[in-house]
Amino acid sequence: MIDQLLKGNTQFVATEFQPNAAYYEALALKQTPTVLWIGCSDSRVSEHQMTGSKPGTMFVHRNVANIVAFNDVNISSILEYGVVHLKIEDIVICGHTRCGGIAAIEDGVRENYIADWLCIASGAKEVADRVASERGLSREEKLELLTAENVKLQIKHLKNLALIKNQHAKGTLPRIHGWLYRVENGTIDVLVDGRAESPQA
Ligand SMILES: [Zn+2]
C-alpha cells in the first residue's frame, strides 16, 4: 500500500499539480481557505473529494464521530487559528452514515479512551432513544437519526465555545452548517443550513 501511495503522488504531480502550476504556486505562498471542516476520521469520508474541492479550500479537523469537545486543545487551536487568523467564514460539521463511532455510541464500547470520547455525544443518544421508541424506528433508521442528532449537538457545543460566542456577538460569522454524508451513494444532506440560521439559534 505504501508503494501505491507514493506512486499516487507521482501521478498527482503529473496530472494535477503541474498542469495547474499557477494555482499551486500561489497556494504555496499563502493559504486562504474560507471553510473550516469538522468531520469524522473515517477513511471513506474525504472532505475535499466529496465536495470536488482543490487543496487550499478547507482548513480541516477530523476525529472519531466529528465531535466538538470544550476541553480539546486540538480543536480549540484549530478553531482559533481558523477564525482569528484565516478569517474563516463557514464552519461545516459533517457526520456520515455507517459511522463506527455512532454505532459505538448506540451499542456501547469496551475500549476505554473511545468510550470516554464518545461520552461527549451521549446527549444525542438520549434524543435518538426517545424518538426511536416513539416512532418504532429500525436499527438503521435509528443510527441515521443518532448521526443527525450528533451533528446538531456538536453544533450546539461549537456555538457554546467562548471563541465562537464572542465572534457571533460581533456579527454573523462564522456561519455554522450541519451536513450528513452518505457513504453508500456519495451525496450530502444539509441538516442545518447555516446560511439561513442566526448565530444565536
Ligand atoms: Zn465516522
Side-chain angles (χ1 to χ4, degrees):
M1 177 49 75
I2 293 298
D3 288 341
Q4 212 172 309
L5 296 183
L6 294 171
K7 201 175 150 204
N9 175 250
T10 307
Q11 278 170 356
F12 166 74
V13 171
T15 62
E16 167 63 23
F17 199 100
Q18 286 174 345
N20 299 290
Y23 176 81
Y24 286 101
E25 275 166 23
L27 194 58
L29 296 175
K30 192 182 183 189
Q31 65 162 336
T32 54
T34 63
V35 175
L36 193 159
W37 180 272
I38 299 171
C40 184
S41 298
D42 192 300
S43 60
R44 300 166 293 181
V45 186
S46 176
E47 71 291 326
H48 278 80
Q49 267 181 310
M50 81 166 82
T51 57
S53 302
K54 276 185 177 294
T57 307
M58 285 182 266
F59 201 52
V60 176
H61 175 79
R62 290 168 66 179
N63 62 41
V64 174
N66 41 273
I67 281 171
V68 178
F70 75 90
N71 56 355
D72 179 0
V73 178
N74 184 1
I75 198 167
S76 297
S77 58
I78 285 166
L79 281 167
E80 187 166 55
Y81 191 76
V83 170
V84 176
H85 296 282
L86 295 173
K87 314 283 185 208
I88 288 292
E89 295 175 359
D90 294 278
I91 299 177
V92 176
I93 299 185
C94 186
H96 67 99
T97 55
R98 304 186 190 175
C99 178
I102 294 297
I105 293 168
E106 172 63 11
D107 300 333
V109 62
R110 286 188 181 183
E111 287 94 339
N112 297 330
Y113 289 117
I114 300 172
D116 288 349
W117 178 248
L118 294 174
C119 272
I120 304 163
S122 58
K125 177 159 168 57
E126 285 167 26
V127 176
D129 281 346
R130 180 171 46 77
V131 175
S133 107
E134 280 167 10
R135 297 184 194 164
L137 298 183
S138 67
R139 175 176 166 81
E140 200 173 340
E141 289 168 334
K142 186 182 178 189
L143 286 175
E144 188 171 319
L145 174 70
L146 182 53
T147 307
E149 288 300 327
N150 180 50
V151 168
K152 290 176 193 168
L153 179 63
Q154 303 315 324
I155 286 179
K156 200 172 158 191
H157 290 169
L158 186 59
K159 286 180 174 177
N160 279 334
L161 292 177
L163 177 79
I164 300 297
K165 229 189 238 178
N166 292 337
Q167 199 69 23
H168 281 168
K170 291 186 277 179
T172 57
L173 298 179
R175 291 175 290 263
I176 298 174
H177 314 263
W179 290 0
L180 173 71
Y181 173 71
R182 295 186 178 277
V183 295
E184 62 277 16
N185 63 20
T187 61
I188 292 170
D189 292 355
V190 175
L191 304 173
V192 176
D193 186 351
R195 294 169 301 182
E197 290 231 321
S198 75
Q200 284 78 31

